[in-house]
Amino acid sequence: MAVWTLGLNHRTAPIDLRERFAFASEKLEQSLQGLRQKFETHKEVTILSTCNRTEIYCAGDQSHLPQTLAWLAETGKTQVDILASHTYRLEGDASARHAFRVASGLDSMVLGESQILGQLKDAVKLATDTGALGTTLNQLFQRSFAVAKEVRTTTEIGAHSISMAAACVRLASGIFENIKDTRILFVGAGEMIELCVAHFAAKSPLSITIANRSAQRAEDLASLHGATCIALADLPKKLHEFDIVISCTASTLPLIGLGAVQSALRARKNHPMFMVDLAVPRDIEPEVKKLNDVYLYTVDDLNEIIQSGQAHRQAAVLDAEVIIDEGVQKFMSWLEHRRHVPLIRELNLQTESWRQTELNKARRQIEKGEDLNAVLDSLSMGLMKKMLNGPLRELHHAEGRQTDKTHAAIRQMFLRA
């Protein structure tokens, strides 16, 4: 059984390429089925798609990395060679190690962050619900979850963490002298926005407003922080009211265009605006970054700030890697044993056939009134002959060095104490 991974992330690909391969949640099931149909026989498939990465995990009788790459390139309308130069392609233990490092937060922009573990669990659940997950990938991910738990409970990998939300606050503090004097708009109401709202709310701004496609989700979040809500459709006419705009939605198209921001700046008389686009694909048109008096940052722009807290956790990384290495070895050992499953199944079927044959013969003898002891003796003798027929045949036909190997195998299987 082969395991392979194809992916691109914040280290290998710029945001304008990553957003071509961001899978909308409502289309993931269709994408999973489409990828499985790309193979000659249906393989096990899981797709992990976040703002920082898109990864495809597969398992099958043999690796199909070229087909996986071709499918992803076609999906993102990108030439295969261009995509290949920005991806990582892993097989076997390298694929398992990567999954364990991702789950443990060692491969994240924010070293040790825990959000990716929840995203990975969601991806696995969807693959399970759609029938795309099988025994091999299920084992891989369940073991990765266990390793992630051990890493977080026995190391300090999550200590000294500078999250994206905290990085947004730090950047905003460099633009505005006091966050307390600002009005903040959050577009979206997912987990990332929840974290950002909590961080900014702690600075007691003048007001917090939330715009989201689901009004109920926005109201639930707003009620926790004394915020107000507006409809997404009202963004263009109300944008000028806000000093800080943080956006992170699952929209496949920009929600805030260049024209809307230009109009907002005119209404603000060019008073500066601080904007952070945490979405992939992006919520704010990239051209906005060229405007005077607008400070627009994307997830990639936050990387430098986030990296400043990484040094404190490097010792914990070494401890985590030891745990991950052990997990990889155990998974690969399990995977190796899986190679024997077809043979074991065949042996069970064969021996069951022998058993049934001798049992039916014994029943017929009993029905004829034959002596019970003689019947049992005949049954055991029949089974013994069937079991020894193969080994004795091999022994008789073995020649040269093969004779010694056959001798050793028979002793190992039949004559061990």
Side-chain angles (χ1 to χ4, degrees):
M1 180 65 71
V3 176
W4 68 97
T5 302
L6 170 69
L8 63 160
N9 63 19
H10 58 282
R11 294 190 184 93
T12 68
I15 190 171
D16 59 343
L17 182 65
R18 293 203 310 274
E19 61 188 358
R20 298 185 203 175
F21 303 98
F23 290 85
S25 57
E26 63 271 14
K27 294 183 179 180
L28 259 178
E29 180 176 349
Q30 179 182 346
S31 298
L32 284 167
Q33 299 299 350
L35 176 55
R36 295 183 77 204
Q37 291 170 8
K38 183 75 174 180
F39 303 128
E40 294 176 2
T41 57
H42 285 187
K43 302 295 188 291
E44 300 180 37
V45 173
T46 301
I47 298 176
L48 172 65
S49 183
T50 75
C51 60
N52 286 326
R53 71 181 66 242
T54 293
E55 295 181 341
I56 300 174
Y57 295 86
C58 302
D61 295 335
Q62 59 185 10
S63 176
H64 288 274
L65 264 172
Q67 292 93 325
T68 310
L69 179 66
W71 177 85
L72 187 60
E74 181 182 352
T75 301
K77 296 180 174 59
T78 302
Q79 294 181 7
V80 172
D81 56 342
I82 293 177
L83 176 60
S85 66
H86 291 281
T87 60
Y88 37 94
R89 283 150 284 177
L90 310 168
E91 297 182 72
D93 59 348
S95 180
R97 178 171 285 101
H98 181 76
F100 290 176
R101 295 185 86 256
V102 168
S104 301
L106 268 65
D107 194 63
S108 299
M109 179 184 290
V110 182
L111 182 62
E113 58 93 9
S114 59
Q115 187 178 11
I116 185 63
L117 181 59
Q119 293 168 328
L120 185 56
K121 287 182 177 180
D122 289 341
V124 170
K125 184 180 185 304
L126 178 62
T128 301
D129 293 343
T130 58
L133 199 74
T135 302
T136 301
L137 284 189
N138 182 62
Q139 274 289 320
L140 173 66
F141 291 123
Q142 294 307 319
R143 289 169 184 264
S144 72
F145 300 156
V147 164
K149 181 178 180 180
E150 185 177 355
V151 166
R152 295 181 190 284
T153 55
T154 62
T155 75
E156 294 186 0
I157 195 67
H160 314 289
S161 177
I162 299 179
S163 67
M164 284 193 187
C168 289
V169 173
R170 183 176 294 188
L171 278 172
S173 298
I175 305 298
F176 300 99
E177 186 175 343
N178 197 333
I179 300 296
K180 290 183 178 181
D181 299 326
T182 63
R183 301 181 186 277
I184 308 175
L185 169 66
F186 294 97
V187 183
E191 186 176 353
M192 182 60 73
I193 289 296
E194 288 181 6
L195 292 172
C196 290
V197 172
H199 276 72
F200 276 97
K203 298 295 182 180
S204 303
L206 286 176
S207 69
I208 293 176
T209 302
I210 299 171
N212 188 54
R213 195 175 306 278
S214 167
Q216 185 60 54
R217 186 80 179 265
E219 290 170 4
D220 291 343
L221 179 57
S223 65
L224 296 175
H225 301 281
T228 58
C229 301
I230 62 171
L232 281 178
D234 292 336
L235 278 180
K237 63 183 180 183
K238 289 186 174 291
L239 195 59
H240 68 280
E241 299 176 7
F242 305 103
D243 307 296
I244 297 173
V245 178
I246 314 289
S247 186
C248 186
T249 76
S251 174
T252 57
L253 296 172
L255 299 176
I256 302 175
L258 176 63
V261 179
Q262 288 174 323
S263 298
L265 286 175
R266 286 194 293 269
R268 292 170 60 81
K269 298 181 179 179
N270 294 319
H271 188 69
M273 293 180 70
F274 171 72
M275 308 181 80
V276 180
D277 189 349
L278 297 174
V280 178
R282 285 170 283 189
D283 286 337
I284 303 173
E285 287 188 343
E287 292 77 11
V288 169
K289 197 165 190 173
K290 299 176 182 179
L291 297 176
N292 293 328
D293 302 313
V294 173
Y295 301 87
L296 172 61
Y297 295 86
T298 66
V299 286
D300 288 357
D301 296 323
L302 298 181
N303 191 34
E304 185 175 340
I305 292 177
I306 290 170
Q307 295 303 319
S308 65
Q310 308 290 57
H312 298 286
R313 282 165 286 164
Q314 289 308 313
V317 170
L318 297 177
D319 294 335
E321 294 286 10
V322 172
I323 297 171
I324 288 171
D325 285 343
E326 183 180 357
V328 170
Q329 290 173 12
K330 289 181 178 178
F331 172 74
M332 295 306 295
S333 177
W334 176 86
L335 196 60
E336 177 65 20
H337 284 112
R338 289 287 297 173
R339 290 198 309 114
H340 307 315
V341 170
L343 179 59
I344 292 172
R345 186 180 295 116
E346 193 174 346
L347 280 172
N348 284 331
L349 289 173
Q350 180 64 76
T351 52
E352 175 61 18
S353 174
W354 292 342
R355 190 181 75 86
Q356 289 295 336
T357 298
E358 294 303 320
L359 193 58
N360 291 335
K361 179 181 176 182
R363 284 171 176 156
R364 288 194 298 269
Q365 290 173 331
I366 292 173
E367 290 173 356
K368 292 178 180 179
E370 296 185 21
D371 179 68
L372 183 59
N373 287 330
V375 172
L376 292 175
D377 187 60
S378 175
L379 184 148
S380 61
M381 184 64 70
L383 285 175
M384 183 181 75
K385 287 181 178 180
K386 284 180 169 60
M387 290 176 61
L388 292 179
N389 180 58
L392 291 176
R393 185 177 64 250
E394 290 298 316
L395 190 60
H396 290 150
H397 288 86
E399 296 180 356
R401 293 182 179 179
Q402 189 62 36
T403 302
D404 292 338
K405 292 181 179 179
T406 304
H407 267 271
I410 291 175
R411 287 187 176 279
Q412 178 74 9
M413 289 186 285
F414 293 96
L415 301 178
R416 289 178 63 183

